[in-house]
Amino acid sequence: MSDIHLVKLCVGADSLDDLLGWEKARGAVSYIHTRNRPTRWEELLDGGSLYWVIKGVILCRREIVSFDEEADHWRVGLSTKNILTEAQPRRAFQGWRYLKPEDAPRDIIEGETDLPPDMMKALKEAGVW
């Protein structure tokens, strides 16, 4: 299991629904771009995840599966499944930051949340649960 994860701002998203909608519209495409490859990229491939910060709060994560060099940037391959996490506040930052596993928010297991039923239904339809 990885000793490190990444945290990245989900710029432009006002809610988790925004992120899920964008991903659904993109279809099977599961990656993000970054100018520089993280120096600890090999550790990230051993079970590391990308934690999304939406409006100042970590709300979900996706496992990192690859790093591919493009012409002027790196493409970070992500699993196709979003995993909801406990909400964890984060201050604004640029780019990405490392996150130690012991500092990462806990995953939410289905049935352990107080989300409204309509939101849970939407998350299931989006493939999150």
Side-chain angles (χ1 to χ4, degrees), residues 49-69:
S49 289
L50 174 76
Y51 285 79
W52 283 114
V53 178
I54 301 170
K55 288 294 191 185
V57 181
I58 293 176
L59 294 175
C60 67
R61 70 180 180 91
R62 290 178 93 183
E63 291 182 9
I64 296 171
V65 297
S66 66
F67 284 92
D68 302 303
E69 189 172 14

Side-chain angles (χ1 to χ4, degrees), residues 22 44 66 73-74 99 120:
W22 295 339
L44 290 164
S66 66
H73 62 273
W74 286 86
L99 177 66
M120 288 182 62

